[in-house]
Amino acid sequence: SHWEDAAKLTKAGEVNGLSLMVAGNHLQVVVVGMGEAAEFQWSGLRKAAGAAFKEWERQGAAKAAVHLNGLPDPLDTNESARILTETLLLSGYRFDKYMAEKKPAVVTDVELVAAEDISEAVTAGTILAEAVAFARNLVNEPANFLSPKNWQS
């Protein structure tokens, strides 16, 4: 298939784009290489998700979908969904609380598509991403705004 051919041509972390016409609609497909299955590590999935997110932003895509069907072994669909949720949410993280002009998010909707129920994995990934974003917000606050007294309240 075209997907398999594109994946074979894409090295780990490399991004390739395909333009397709489906039922009269123009679709922009982003294929991100994850490397050889035998050498795969979860960090490769995080790197691939981050690369895809950057490409979606570059293209100005407000909506995107990630298909989890047909992942190579040893990828577990639920663990992949959790990691993708966490990574994609954090890829859009911006600390702009004190910026006069806030840049709106480009990518606002990402759908994970899987043959099995991944709702618990998506929830877990969302909780982790929100916790990391909260910690990042604390670290990014100026010390004079987040004193121990302010932190207590």
Side-chain angles (χ1 to χ4, degrees), residues 103-143:
K103 185 177 172 185
V106 175
V107 182
T108 57
D109 185 20
V110 178
E111 181 179 357
L112 300 183
V113 180
E116 60 190 82
D117 181 18
I118 57 170
S119 59
E120 286 185 24
V122 170
T123 299
T126 300
I127 291 168
L128 285 168
E130 288 173 351
V132 170
F134 178 73
R136 287 180 180 180
N137 286 341
L138 292 177
V139 169
N140 287 321
E141 277 289 339

Side-chain angles (χ1 to χ4, degrees), residues 6-90:
K8 288 177 186 172
L9 295 173
T10 307
K11 297 176 183 175
E14 185 177 281
V15 178
N16 282 320
L18 304 169
S19 292
L20 303 173
M21 287 297 286
V22 177
N25 295 315
H26 178 258
L27 297 178
Q28 195 66 24
V29 178
V30 175
V31 179
V32 183
M34 295 189 340
E36 296 294 326
E39 300 170 6
F40 179 79
Q41 295 182 2
W42 290 111
S43 60
L45 182 59
R46 290 182 191 281
K47 185 176 181 179
F53 192 90
K54 283 182 183 178
E55 182 62 16
W56 297 332
E57 284 189 318
R58 189 189 70 71
Q59 292 180 5
K63 295 181 179 183
V66 177
H67 290 268
L68 301 175
N69 300 335
L71 289 172
D73 290 333
L75 297 182
D76 172 72
T77 302
N78 279 289
E79 185 65 10
S80 296
R82 184 194 62 76
I83 289 171
L84 284 168
T85 300
E86 180 184 343
T87 303
L88 293 171
L89 286 171
L90 290 172

Side-chain angles (χ1 to χ4, degrees), residues 83-101:
I83 289 171
L84 284 168
T85 300
E86 180 184 343
T87 303
L88 293 171
L89 286 171
L90 290 172
S91 292
Y93 173 83
R94 306 280 186 281
F95 185 78
D96 58 3
K97 183 176 178 178
Y98 301 108
M99 301 282 291
E101 192 174 312

